[in-house]
Amino acid sequence: SYTISNLVPDTTLEFRIRTQCDENSFSAWSDPLQVSTLPYQPATLPYSCNFENGEENAFWTISNGNQANAWYINTAVNNTLGGEQALYISMDGGLTNTYQNTETSAVWAYRDIQFPDANEFLLSFDWRCHGEGGGSYVWDYLSVYIGNPVRKEAGDESEPQRAVLLGNHLLTPAWSVAEYVLGNEYANTTKRLYFVWRNDYSAGVNPPAAIDNISLRVVNCSRPLDLTVENVTSTTATVSVTSTDE
C-alpha cells in the first residue's frame, strides 16, 4: 500500500498501477480506479470572510480549469478597510480585475456552510461587476446560488442541481452590498454557497465580478411573515402578520 498526500479536496482522481517486472520491463497498466476526495470541512455560523486570512482562503474551492477568465484571491481590488485582498475575476493571472470577451468562460468558487437550528439567516457580501446585459438578458455576469454540495467543473454553465439562484449581479461597476434572507428550510443542513462568473465571446464592459466581506449569520429577530389586510373601508384597514419569533 502507498499513501498519497497533498491531494486537492472535492476532486475526482483516476489511478492506475503497473508491475515492475525487472529493472527494465513493466506490465501493462491496471484498469483505472476513480476516487473522489472529500470536500473541505464546512464553515459554521457566524461566518465571515474578507479574504485576508490565508488559512480561510484555502477552504474555498476554485474551479478555473483552462478558462480564459478565472477566479483569484489576490490584491488587484478589495473593499475591506485596511485590507488588501478580495475574490475576483481576472484574465491575467490575478494582476488586474479585468476580463476578455473573445472566448466564453464559466468558472466557479464555492464554500460549504453548516447551518444551525434557527428560523432565519442573513447572507450578505460586497460585490461589483459590470459585464454585459440588458432587460431580461444577461451575457457577462455573476450568479450566486445556495444548495446541496455538488462538484462544479470549469466550463460548466448549468445551474447546480438542487440549488436556489439567489440572484444575478451585473451592470454595477462600483462596490455594492447584496443581502439575502434565508428561511428555516436551511436549518440543520449543510449547503454550498456558489459564485459563478459566466461570459460570452462578444462585447462586455470591465470590471468583471469581484466579491469581498462575505457574512452569514443567524437572524435573532426574524422578520414578520404572511402580511394580510382585511376589513378595508374608506378610512380603516386591519393588518395582520405571522411572526417567525413565536
Side-chain angles (χ1 to χ4, degrees), residues 2-20:
Y2 181 77
T3 299
I4 304 174
S5 302
N6 300 316
L7 300 179
V8 178
D10 199 27
T11 302
T12 298
L13 307 163
E14 184 175 276
F15 297 93
R16 296 171 184 258
I17 64 171
R18 62 181 181 174
T19 302
Q20 183 171 1

Side-chain angles (χ1 to χ4, degrees), residues 6-246:
N6 300 316
L7 300 179
V8 178
D10 199 27
T11 302
T12 298
L13 307 163
E14 184 175 276
F15 297 93
R16 296 171 184 258
I17 64 171
R18 62 181 181 174
T19 302
Q20 183 171 1
C21 302
D22 56 42
E23 185 176 352
N24 298 310
S25 64
F26 299 87
S27 72
W29 287 103
S30 68
D31 291 335
L33 173 66
Q34 281 197 342
V35 176
S36 294
T37 54
L38 298 177
Y40 291 115
Q41 286 294 107
T44 56
L45 270 57
Y47 174 70
S48 63
C49 179
N50 60 11
F51 298 103
E52 302 298 323
N53 184 324
E55 183 175 350
E56 171 54 32
N57 295 347
F59 287 116
W60 281 84
T61 296
I62 294 178
S63 183
N64 287 330
N66 60 356
Q67 301 289 286
N69 304 300
W71 287 110
Y72 292 90
I73 300 174
N74 214 320
T75 60
V77 64
N78 73 83
N79 197 39
T80 302
L81 183 63
E84 296 181 347
Q85 299 195 146
L87 171 69
Y88 56 88
I89 291 295
S90 176
M91 67 177 183
D92 53 17
L95 296 177
T96 63
N97 179 211
T98 57
Y99 77 109
Q100 61 99 330
N101 53 29
T102 59
E103 298 179 52
T104 60
S105 297
V107 288
W108 297 82
Y110 48 82
R111 178 78 162 96
D112 289 356
I113 309 289
Q114 176 66 53
F115 286 83
D117 186 10
N119 283 330
E120 208 167 64
F121 310 90
L122 179 64
L123 168 66
S124 67
F125 55 89
D126 298 345
W127 70 281
R128 74 175 198 177
C129 175
H130 196 289
E132 182 189 14
S136 60
Y137 297 98
V138 290
W139 295 283
D140 303 350
Y141 59 102
L142 167 71
S143 292
V144 184
Y145 299 90
I146 193 161
N148 290 350
V150 177
R151 184 179 296 108
K152 299 298 290 183
E153 302 294 342
D156 182 356
E157 297 189 41
S158 64
E159 295 189 353
Q161 295 178 355
R162 299 178 299 280
V164 174
L165 173 63
L166 297 181
N168 293 325
H169 299 264
L170 68 161
L171 304 182
T172 305
W175 285 102
S176 183
V177 178
E179 289 189 340
Y180 295 101
V181 177
L182 309 177
N184 61 6
E185 66 270 25
Y186 295 97
N188 298 311
T189 65
T190 297
K191 298 297 183 183
R192 181 164 288 180
L193 175 63
Y194 301 87
F195 295 103
V196 56
W197 164 259
R198 303 180 180 95
N199 70 271
D200 68 0
Y201 54 84
S202 65
V205 179
N206 281 303
I211 299 163
D212 208 351
N213 302 322
I214 300 170
S215 172
L216 184 56
R217 61 179 177 83
V218 171
V219 177
N220 294 318
C221 184
S222 301
R223 58 182 176 160
L225 299 177
D226 302 326
L227 178 66
T228 60
V229 179
E230 300 175 311
N231 305 322
V232 178
T233 71
S234 58
T235 58
T236 64
T238 301
V239 179
S240 301
V241 297
T242 300
S243 175
T244 61
D245 286 337
E246 296 177 354

